[in-house]
Amino acid sequence: MAAVVRTQDLHRPVVVGLQTLAVAACYYAAGRLGLLRQLVVEGAVFTPIWPPTGIALAGLLIFGLRCWPGIALGAFLVIMSITSFRPVVIGNLFGNTAAPVCSCLMLRKVGFRPDLSRLRDGLALVFLGALAGMLVSATVGVGLIALRGRLDAGDFWPVWLAWWVGDAMGVLIVTPFLLLLHETRRPPNLARWPEALGLALIACVIVPLATRSTISMLFLVYPLLIWIALRFQLVGSMLCALFTSVMATIAATDAVGPFAGLTRIEVMIKLQAFNGAMALTALLLSAVITEQLNTRRSVERACQELVEVLGHLTAGDSPHNRPPPEDEGRRQERGAE
């Protein structure tokens, strides 16, 4: 028994270390991908979608708060890949690490479930995980730029808004997808693959058309998103939202389609408004549909159990279990007396 306990004690630090390294590697890879597409707002460079925030929060929700060093390590590697080490790097590391940690703590406080099976879970992820938690990273990051004298006082809020929305979008788009991948236990239903492939082909036609057409046709994405949410709930809708956000970001950074001829501020506002509205639609609509489906399954299960109970009661009162007719006649006579 002592040997078993000792083996478990040795095994736990190894698992925690591997989880921490996995979070750091995913954070770094997502950061490098996010840096491929950038926008300039008031002289400051930012990414419209910062996927590492979604990676960080998902890692904390899945592995626990003990993996926070992986976030700090991943953020350090990303920063060092684009600049040299300076004291300001420590402040950026603090902001990038503290933001998802605060989001995780707030979500735990309200009883958040990673399976996102309730509407309250979707609302908590939006307002606490994304919007509230990412205030930390945006404020620390832009504050450090301002303290170094590289940002005018009048440009603080546009840059802060761009930073905050980019971090929040990473949570809204990446975190739900990773949580669902972790929670999935059953293989996909093969009977639904033809429908899924059909919707994927439709998305591959409509999304590039909507994001790169000179005519503003971004609204075409919403019927497709609603259709996918109705049929495949959160997995399908978040995949569609992720693909659409990537295509819209590419179009915005290339200044083509509905983003052509706009100033950098206008591009930022239009892109973030579109990505935010789409992610909110996908997340909240899918959460409502999933909650209703779970409620219906619970009602059907309760009805089935009720039918089984009534069946047992009926079987217990069957004719062969009743007393003979003469005994019933005697009971009726005694009752009449």
Side-chain angles (χ1 to χ4, degrees):
M1 182 59 111
V4 174
V5 173
R6 190 177 300 109
T7 302
Q8 292 178 349
D9 292 339
L10 293 174
H11 180 67
R12 189 177 296 114
V14 174
V15 172
V16 173
L18 291 176
Q19 292 173 347
T20 302
L21 291 177
V23 171
C26 292
Y27 191 104
Y28 175 75
R32 297 301 300 171
L33 288 175
L35 292 172
L36 294 177
R37 293 289 170 172
Q38 301 176 348
L39 289 175
V40 180
V41 177
E42 304 298 343
V45 179
F46 78 100
T47 56
I49 301 175
W50 187 236
T53 56
I55 297 286
L57 182 56
L60 292 173
L61 292 173
I62 294 172
F63 301 130
L65 292 173
R66 61 179 178 269
C67 73
W68 71 264
I71 301 173
L73 176 60
F76 177 77
L77 294 176
V78 172
I79 295 173
M80 296 307 297
S81 67
I82 58 177
T83 186
S84 59
F85 182 80
R86 284 171 282 183
V88 71
V89 172
I90 299 176
N92 286 324
L93 288 178
F94 171 78
N96 292 334
T97 305
V101 170
C102 291
S103 296
C104 181
L105 292 175
M106 288 187 290
L107 290 175
R108 285 186 174 185
K109 188 70 175 178
V110 298
F112 175 78
R113 294 181 184 175
D115 58 2
L116 296 169
S117 59
R118 305 173 300 175
L119 177 60
R120 59 178 294 185
D121 297 324
L123 293 173
L125 184 62
V126 171
F127 291 101
L128 297 180
L131 300 183
M134 296 305 112
L135 292 172
V136 178
S137 57
T139 303
V140 172
V142 181
L144 289 174
I145 297 175
L147 289 176
R148 294 168 62 193
R150 296 191 176 185
L151 190 65
D152 296 334
D155 298 333
F156 180 87
W157 291 112
V159 175
W160 180 89
L161 180 63
W163 192 310
W164 175 56
V165 175
D167 286 357
M169 286 304 304
V171 173
L172 290 178
I173 293 179
V174 177
T175 300
F177 180 69
L178 294 179
L179 291 178
L180 289 174
L181 284 181
H182 179 260
E183 293 292 327
T184 301
R185 295 291 182 267
R186 297 179 300 174
N189 187 0
L190 296 179
R192 304 192 66 185
W193 273 108
E195 182 182 5
L197 291 176
L199 287 174
L201 291 175
I202 294 174
C204 289
V205 174
I206 291 180
V207 173
L209 175 65
T211 55
R212 304 192 75 86
S213 174
T214 54
I215 304 173
S216 184
M217 302 176 66
L218 292 176
F219 62 89
L220 291 178
V221 175
Y222 289 98
L224 176 64
L225 191 65
I226 294 172
W227 184 8
I228 294 176
L230 289 172
R231 298 300 299 158
F232 294 96
Q233 287 77 58
L234 200 57
V235 174
S237 63
M238 293 313 300
L239 276 174
C240 181
L242 179 61
F243 175 61
T244 306
S245 296
V246 171
M247 294 300 297
T249 301
I250 294 174
T253 53
D254 291 340
V256 298
F259 304 97
L262 302 178
T263 65
R264 290 296 183 181
I265 295 292
E266 292 172 342
V267 169
M268 186 269 293
I269 294 175
K270 188 170 186 177
L271 175 63
Q272 303 295 39
F274 171 70
N275 284 340
M278 183 185 55
L280 286 174
T281 301
L283 183 59
L284 298 183
L285 178 61
S286 299
V288 170
I289 295 172
T290 302
E291 188 174 38
Q292 291 181 346
L293 290 175
N294 291 337
T295 301
R296 188 180 71 178
R297 294 191 188 101
S298 300
V299 172
E300 290 176 350
R301 193 179 304 114
C303 292
Q304 185 177 1
E305 293 176 356
L306 181 60
V307 169
E308 293 177 357
V309 170
L310 291 176
H312 288 304
L313 291 176
T314 303
D317 196 27
S318 58
H320 63 271
N321 290 331
R322 293 178 181 176
E326 57 271 15
D327 292 343
E328 289 186 357
R330 292 174 184 173
R331 290 180 180 176
Q332 290 179 357
E333 289 176 359
R334 290 177 182 176
E337 293 175 356

